[in-house]
Amino acid sequence: MENSLGKSINFIRTSEKAEHQVTHHHKIGHKHGEGSAIDFYAYASKLRCWNPTFKVVFSFLTLLLCIGLNNPFVSIAVIIGMAYLTVLKGGLSLAAYISVLMIPITFIIMGTIAIGVDFSSQPIGQFNLFLGFGYLFTSVDKLQEMAFLMLKVFGAISAMIMMTLSTPSSEIIGVLRKAHVPKLIIELMNLIYRYIFILMDVFNNMRNSADSRQGYCDFKTSCTTFGSVASNLLVVSLKKANAYYTAMEARGYEGDLIFLEDEKKMPMRHLVIGAAFIIFLIILGIMTH
Amino acid sequence: MREPILKVNNLHYSYGNGNPALDGISVDIYKGEKIAVIGSNGSGKSTFFLNANGVLKADHGEISYQGTVINKKNLRELRKNIGIVFQEADNQIIASTVMAEVGFGPMNLKLPKEEVIERVEEALSYMNILDFKDRPPHYLSGGEKKRVTIADVIAMKSEVIIFDEPTAALDPLNAQMLEEVLVKLGEEGKTMLISTHDVDFAYRWAERAIVFDQGKIIADGTPLDIFKNTGILEQANLKRPAMLDVYEMLVEKKMVADTKDYPTSPQDLKVLLEKQFKFA
């Protein structure tokens, strides 16, 4: 009883932290800790119990269709479908979903503006804007191309994000292992994923302890402190690597890193609905060609 | 004469810097013993544990498990039967879900998958953390991580379990949980070695205490004998357990009769007092 209570409190705390991170992000523009927020959403998602292979294959097919069919209607269908899956089926709050999407959206807008709008010394094009030293110009065709490209990229990204927001990294690595990605890469991915969190923990502790001793009081000190923390982090990670190797050996590690993987059921229903969605996309693509 | 489960004979080990970390350790450990390994920091306890598990290779000396001398070929057998719960859980947890973590040892034993799953579930329910199965370790608290590391070793079904300072960094509630687990494991006949700085815990839990000082074993006996020996306590920089002091004070002031039945916990003392004062 105590156990489950403690656990739920802990989970609430973690989600508060995640929530806090999100609100924080609106202010500073997604710079720190977004990775761990995504990781947390993946564990909290209601789609987590779905078969990971299905999710990975499904989102990849969607991604390929979205790019391959090159059709704005397909793109819109993908965007709506993936948002439906992530937010309504997965139980992620809309604010959190949009917050995660904000990073790619920024890149998409910045990237596509360069395609839609051009610069010239003469007043050409359907619309132009005089800037004093030249003209920004564009046309309806160009703007349409820009909007379609945006939709396409956005659809492709939302398919990938559906996967990352519903499948923890360890399960994605498991799918890659089944797809016969070389063992070395799989082992590295597993270890790196685990150690990112340890490294962040150690770094946070060091930074806090430096901060409490006025290590970040001005710019010059901050630079020195950052250097010291980074070099200390290297020494600590070497030591930790040793400690881990010892612990792994103590449990019979003999050169092969093999983990137990949970087999998740693949209900027929998912397969049918997934296939139906894919076929729907193809038909939609052909019909509106 | 019983055959020791683990026999360590004249073990020498030194790290790269040349100073001996272990300097001629000889000890026999019998099945089902509950041993507290005490000694100051750097006295060689952890080095001894890693040697006993075969992770570190001794410079001299030999280790035998159930009568078989351990060499390179049967090292696997030693690791399988002697499990270590490391002091820092974060230095032990390697996988990114609790289930994969607890399954890591059994997977290395090359067991069939069904058995691995069975053992994992058994170990998780033993530690009362079955709900954490799919959780990643980075969303667990310190006490929960400790439980996972103990489940790691339980899943390997080791005969001998070594705990390296398990109570360090645990809050009182988790420390109590740990002690309950230790009692439960003891009832199942597991042999346990625990290194600790908590003399009160060593006094109430252990049947046998081994004192390390500068790479040597300076005392080996019942906790009572060791804690009554001022010479050893001074040499190893140890404190006396509070219950021992209390009892001796009560005896000295003639508050209780000296029955030689030393209470190791406040509950024991209460029983003793009730017994002695029932007829008064």
Side-chain angles (χ1 to χ4, degrees):
Chain A
M1 195 57 216
E2 278 163 2
N3 173 18
S4 66
L5 189 70
K7 189 199 70 195
S8 64
I9 287 172
N10 187 36
F11 227 119
I12 291 166
R13 235 182 263 141
T14 336
S15 66
E16 271 172 9
K17 207 167 79 187
E19 208 99 320
H20 170 75
Q21 278 174 351
V22 172
T23 50
H24 195 56
H25 282 147
H26 282 300
K27 284 170 210 150
I28 60 162
H30 311 273
K31 270 183 183 148
H32 301 284
E34 188 68 38
S36 59
I38 290 177
D39 183 70
F40 177 76
Y41 297 147
Y43 282 103
S45 171
K46 283 182 207 148
L47 303 186
R48 201 192 151 186
C49 54
W50 288 18
N51 185 302
T53 316
F54 169 73
K55 281 184 286 191
V56 172
V57 171
F58 177 68
S59 57
F60 258 99
L61 277 180
T62 315
L63 169 86
L64 288 179
L65 284 178
C66 191
I67 294 172
L69 291 172
N70 197 11
N71 181 317
F73 294 102
V74 174
S75 303
I76 291 170
V78 170
I79 294 169
I80 293 172
M82 294 300 140
Y84 167 77
L85 275 180
T86 313
V87 177
L88 290 178
K89 282 275 173 183
L92 183 69
S93 77
L94 192 64
Y97 183 60
I98 290 171
S99 151
V100 171
L101 280 176
M102 275 319 278
I103 316 168
I105 285 177
T106 319
F107 280 98
I108 294 170
I109 291 174
M110 290 200 325
T112 47
I113 280 178
I115 292 168
V117 182
D118 218 335
F119 187 74
S120 159
S121 57
Q122 302 299 319
I124 50 169
Q126 263 177 309
F127 314 105
N128 56 48
L129 180 70
F130 184 57
L131 287 180
F133 51 91
Y135 295 88
L136 278 178
F137 70 93
T138 185
S139 63
V140 172
D141 281 356
K142 279 246 181 196
L143 284 179
Q144 195 188 352
E145 190 191 341
M146 176 178 140
F148 287 179
L149 188 67
M150 259 186 199
L151 285 176
K152 185 166 81 169
V153 179
F154 192 47
I157 283 172
S158 58
M160 283 292 104
I161 284 197
M162 188 282 286
M163 180 183 84
T164 40
L165 286 181
S166 65
T167 325
S169 300
S170 54
E171 289 176 15
I172 297 182
I173 297 169
V175 175
L176 292 178
R177 191 184 57 79
K178 280 186 199 143
H180 298 284
V181 171
K183 205 174 73 180
L184 182 70
I185 295 175
I186 297 294
E187 288 184 0
L188 275 176
M189 286 176 87
N190 264 318
L191 291 179
I192 290 170
Y193 174 62
R194 169 79 183 111
Y195 297 147
I196 285 171
F197 294 95
I198 293 168
L199 205 66
M200 281 196 332
D201 258 9
V202 174
F203 172 71
N204 276 333
N205 289 342
M206 282 186 195
R207 198 190 48 195
N208 289 345
S209 102
D211 206 6
S212 74
R213 286 173 290 156
Q214 285 297 301
Y216 295 96
C217 59
D218 56 38
F219 181 70
K220 196 165 161 258
T221 322
S222 301
C223 290
T224 327
T225 309
F226 177 76
S228 315
V229 168
S231 62
N232 205 8
L233 209 55
L234 176 71
V235 176
V236 170
S237 50
L238 289 177
K239 274 188 144 182
K240 282 240 172 198
N242 243 330
Y244 277 111
Y245 189 68
T246 306
M248 278 159 70
E249 265 207 314
R251 282 195 287 153
Y253 169 73
E254 280 171 335
D256 277 332
L257 205 56
I258 21 173
F259 290 117
L260 178 63
E261 278 164 16
D262 200 7
E263 292 293 333
K264 283 177 179 150
K265 272 195 229 89
M266 174 73 241
M268 214 44 204
R269 200 164 51 88
H270 289 172
L271 203 61
V272 171
I273 297 175
F277 183 70
I278 298 288
I279 293 167
F280 165 72
L281 286 184
I282 296 174
I283 293 171
L284 185 70
I286 295 166
M287 297 263 288
T288 56
H289 189 63
Chain B
M1 180 72 205
R2 290 191 295 166
E3 177 78 9
I5 187 165
L6 187 72
K7 190 179 168 71
V8 177
N9 194 9
N10 197 24
L11 203 66
H12 287 262
Y13 184 87
S14 61
Y15 289 101
N17 56 17
N19 294 336
L22 295 181
D23 193 3
I25 300 288
S26 295
V27 66
D28 288 354
I29 289 157
Y30 297 93
K31 192 170 163 48
E33 277 190 315
K34 296 199 257 180
I35 303 173
V37 179
I38 40 190
S40 48
N41 293 330
S43 57
K45 301 180 305 266
S46 298
T47 314
F48 170 66
F49 288 160
L50 291 177
N51 269 283
N53 177 273
V55 171
L56 297 179
K57 277 110 198 146
D59 303 335
H60 301 286
E62 59 178 29
I63 298 170
S64 355
Y65 180 76
Q66 289 190 327
T68 330
V69 178
I70 296 301
N71 52 32
K72 269 201 165 140
K73 277 179 206 147
N74 51 21
L75 193 62
R76 234 178 107 93
E77 200 58 21
L78 185 72
R79 290 200 182 141
K80 183 183 146 191
N81 286 300
I82 298 183
I84 304 187
V85 177
F86 285 83
Q87 182 178 354
E88 273 194 54
D90 260 335
N91 283 353
Q92 182 179 338
I93 297 177
I94 175 104
S96 29
T97 62
V98 168
M99 189 184 71
E101 166 62 19
V102 177
F104 182 68
M107 289 294 266
N108 284 332
L109 298 177
K110 309 277 183 282
L111 297 170
K113 199 172 173 189
E114 296 72 47
E115 196 183 340
V116 174
I117 291 171
E118 201 177 294
R119 280 190 180 200
V120 168
E121 301 219 320
E122 201 182 301
L124 289 178
S125 41
Y126 195 100
M127 291 310 297
N128 208 4
I129 46 173
L130 200 56
D131 324 349
F132 293 11
K133 208 171 132 188
D134 295 323
R135 247 347 152 86
H138 45 267
Y139 296 132
L140 297 180
S141 73
E144 290 163 347
K145 280 185 198 166
K146 193 86 213 173
R147 291 191 205 195
V148 172
T149 57
I150 298 173
D152 278 354
V153 174
I154 291 175
M156 289 186 79
K157 302 211 169 160
S158 313
E159 272 307 312
V160 181
I161 303 180
I162 295 173
F163 292 84
D164 199 354
E165 293 183 28
T167 47
L170 286 188
D171 61 27
L173 191 69
N174 276 307
Q176 198 191 334
M177 171 282 301
L178 180 87
E179 232 177 299
E180 280 159 17
V181 169
L182 292 177
V183 170
K184 204 161 125 189
L185 284 169
E187 282 163 3
E188 288 166 18
K190 297 268 189 215
T191 314
M192 280 179 281
L193 281 97
I194 300 185
S195 78
T196 180
H197 294 298
D198 183 347
V199 285
D200 294 308
F201 164 72
Y203 184 57
R204 79 178 162 256
W205 174 81
E207 294 166 350
R208 178 180 170 190
I210 298 176
V211 185
F212 273 70
D213 185 45
Q214 294 176 0
K216 289 191 179 73
I217 292 182
I218 57 166
D220 181 353
T222 64
L224 186 61
D225 288 343
I226 284 172
F227 287 122
K228 279 164 93 179
N229 186 331
T230 345
I232 291 169
L233 295 187
E234 254 169 43
Q235 195 184 342
N237 290 319
L238 291 171
K239 280 195 323 182
R240 274 162 64 95
M243 285 314 295
L244 184 60
D245 275 343
V246 168
Y247 181 73
E248 289 196 340
M249 272 179 225
L250 288 173
V251 170
E252 195 191 352
K253 301 284 180 200
K254 307 254 182 311
M255 311 279 278
V256 295
D258 190 3
T259 53
K260 298 285 172 205
D261 182 19
Y262 285 80
T264 58
S265 65
Q267 288 79 12
D268 285 0
L269 182 66
K270 189 172 171 237
V271 171
L272 183 96
L273 290 176
E274 278 168 358
K275 212 190 287 173
Q276 291 209 3
F277 290 97
K278 195 153 51 173
F279 307 106

